[in-house]
Amino acid sequence: DAKTTQPTSMDCAEGRAANLPCNHSTISGNEYVYWYRQIHSQGPQYIIHGLKNNETNEMASLIITEDRKSSTLILPHATLRDTAVYYCIVRVMNSGYSTLTFGKGTMLLVSP
Amino acid sequence: GAVVSQHPSWVICKSGTSVKIECRSLDFQATTMFWYRQFPKQSLMLMATSNEGSKATYEQGVEKDKFLINHASLTLSTLTVTSAHPEDSSFYICSALGGNPYNSPLHFGNGTRLTVT
């Protein structure tokens, strides 16, 4: 899987938008960008994924640059419960299945 | 949404004993399940991949005779830590893949905290 680079940590004020960047300059054409988050002592929670188009769901928006070398996860109105480690992962889809390789992620701290 | 249940959520055992962890997909059939391990302040590391009805594939450095994986049905996979030692103390997390393998997210259980004394 392509390697990703994320900032180690970020801060965000409650109620503001949290924009989490991710670089994946070696991504291949068949690799999806996935975002997960992990709240302390819990399993990772799926947030969103995309291939080349921007995506939005009830949790977040995913903006992927046209060259697909980077992306941004946007939490539009961060709350204290969004404090977690956020993982950006690129995942290749082979015939059958593929797993997820976790990097170190970004620790997002949402403050009052 | 897809739910993966993991049991137990925490377990304490004595050195030399074995511990079994269950992972169930509650509302979908999981053709493939994955087992991860996470040590404090570290990221998740893939241990093994299991497909229903076949032997698990282990990552390099993971002892298959120590970490026994059984994926007997489309909704259940088990991880047994045999002859556990204190260095096996960790957070074990399973995940399951259902639906379209080309465009389906993995869904994770809430993990099992294993402490070996």
Side-chain angles (χ1 to χ4, degrees), chain A residues 2 6 10 16 18 22 31 33 39-40 43 49 52 57-58 74 77 80 86 90-92 94 96-97 100 102-103 106:
Chain A
Q6 299 178 254
M10 293 184 65
R16 304 297 291 268
C22 179
E31 290 185 319
V33 179
I39 296 169
H40 183 63
H49 74 283
K52 18 181 204 183
N57 62 21
E58 64 277 5
I74 302 172
H77 305 286
L80 299 180
Y86 286 76
V90 292
R91 179 188 185 198
V92 62
N94 295 318
Y97 66 90
L100 297 171
F102 286 79
T106 296

Side-chain angles (χ1 to χ4, degrees), chain B residues 62-101:
Chain B
V62 178
E63 300 175 58
K64 62 179 181 180
D65 294 329
K66 181 170 185 61
F67 299 99
L68 302 180
I69 292 171
N70 184 287
H71 192 165
S73 77
L74 287 173
T75 59
L76 174 64
S77 177
T78 61
L79 168 67
T80 301
V81 183
T82 62
S83 187
H85 292 285
E87 57 265 31
D88 298 323
S89 297
S90 188
F91 192 48
Y92 292 86
I93 309 167
C94 72
S95 68
L97 175 66
N100 186 337

Side-chain angles (χ1 to χ4, degrees), chain A residues 32 34 36 38 40-46 49-50 87 91 93-105, chain B residues 32 34 36 38 42-46 49 51 57 91 93 97 101-111 113:
Chain A
Y32 284 75
Y34 277 77
Y36 282 78
Q38 187 178 25
H40 183 63
S41 294
Q42 296 183 22
Q45 178 188 22
Y46 166 74
H49 74 283
Y87 297 98
R91 179 188 185 198
M93 292 294 181
N94 295 318
S95 59
Y97 66 90
S98 70
T99 185
L100 297 171
T101 302
F102 286 79
K104 296 185 178 179
Chain B
T32 306
F34 306 91
Y36 289 82
Q38 185 175 32
Q42 295 187 23
S43 191
L44 284 79
M45 295 296 294
L46 179 66
T49 302
N51 291 297
T57 303
F91 192 48
I93 309 167
L97 175 66
Y102 296 95
N103 191 18
S104 295
L106 295 187
H107 295 283
F108 288 80
N110 259 338
R113 176 80 55 195

Side-chain angles (χ1 to χ4, degrees), chain A residues 39-103:
Chain A
I39 296 169
H40 183 63
S41 294
Q42 296 183 22
Q45 178 188 22
Y46 166 74
I47 301 173
I48 199 167
H49 74 283
L51 184 61
K52 18 181 204 183
N53 298 323
N54 297 337
E55 302 287 345
T56 295
N57 62 21
E58 64 277 5
M59 289 183 69
S61 294
L62 173 61
I63 308 298
I64 303 174
T65 58
E66 194 169 338
D67 63 8
R68 304 210 321 123
K69 292 185 177 182
S70 66
S71 60
T72 301
L73 178 74
I74 302 172
L75 308 178
H77 305 286
T79 70
L80 299 180
R81 286 181 292 184
D82 291 323
T83 292
V85 178
Y86 286 76
Y87 297 98
C88 167
I89 304 166
V90 292
R91 179 188 185 198
V92 62
M93 292 294 181
N94 295 318
S95 59
Y97 66 90
S98 70
T99 185
L100 297 171
T101 302
F102 286 79

